[in-house]
Amino acid sequence: EATLDLAERRRIRSAIRELQRQELERDEEALASKRFRPERGSHRQDDKENWPRSRHLEEEQQAALAALSQQLEAITSVEELTKLLRAAGEYEERKLIRAAIRKLRAEEIEGEAPFPCSGWLPSRA
């Protein structure tokens, strides 16, 4: 805004856009390299050292998910399941709740469906 020359302003804006585009490309490349970075040997060693603790946490999580699954089977209200879904924090919990909601909705649809067709069709008059 310091210059009054419109052509110079356009060049400045164009240069700013180009710098922003280059910065976005660098950020995307950095993210991609982090996403697909191969494991390092020291990381594997950390995993071996922490394995008993992580194994214990995984077993606890599996037990909690099994208990949640039992609890979900007793719930017959989609609204109640939706409330649980909104309150759930872990991905696996939400996944189980969504599956329970789908199952309930499918059962409701099956219950509302008319009796299967016995081959009877009205004759054309």
Side-chain angles (χ1 to χ4, degrees), residues 58-74:
E58 184 178 319
E59 288 172 357
E60 285 179 356
Q61 183 183 22
Q62 290 300 324
L65 289 174
L68 176 64
S69 180
Q70 292 294 324
Q71 179 186 1
L72 293 176
E73 287 180 13

Side-chain angles (χ1 to χ4, degrees), residues 18 20 32 64:
E18 180 62 24
Q20 289 171 337

Side-chain angles (χ1 to χ4, degrees), residues 38-121:
E39 280 191 28
R40 294 192 176 121
S42 64
H43 182 68
R44 289 185 193 143
Q45 183 64 31
D46 289 343
D47 285 348
K48 287 179 184 177
E49 292 170 358
N50 295 325
W51 186 77
R53 188 180 73 179
S54 66
R55 179 78 174 164
H56 178 68
L57 290 174
E58 184 178 319
E59 288 172 357
E60 285 179 356
Q61 183 183 22
Q62 290 300 324
L65 289 174
L68 176 64
S69 180
Q70 292 294 324
Q71 179 186 1
L72 293 176
E73 287 180 13
I75 298 174
T76 59
S77 167
V78 173
E79 291 80 21
E80 191 173 337
L81 287 172
T82 304
K83 288 178 187 176
L84 281 175
L85 179 63
R86 289 187 181 128
E90 294 293 322
Y91 170 77
E92 292 295 326
E93 290 175 1
R94 292 192 309 266
K95 187 173 159 182
L96 279 176
I97 296 169
R98 279 192 221 99
I101 290 172
R102 283 192 300 274
K103 181 180 172 186
L104 269 181
R105 287 184 176 154
E107 289 172 359
E108 287 175 359
I109 290 172
E110 286 177 9
E112 292 174 2
F115 294 108
C117 182
S118 61
W120 179 82
L121 292 174

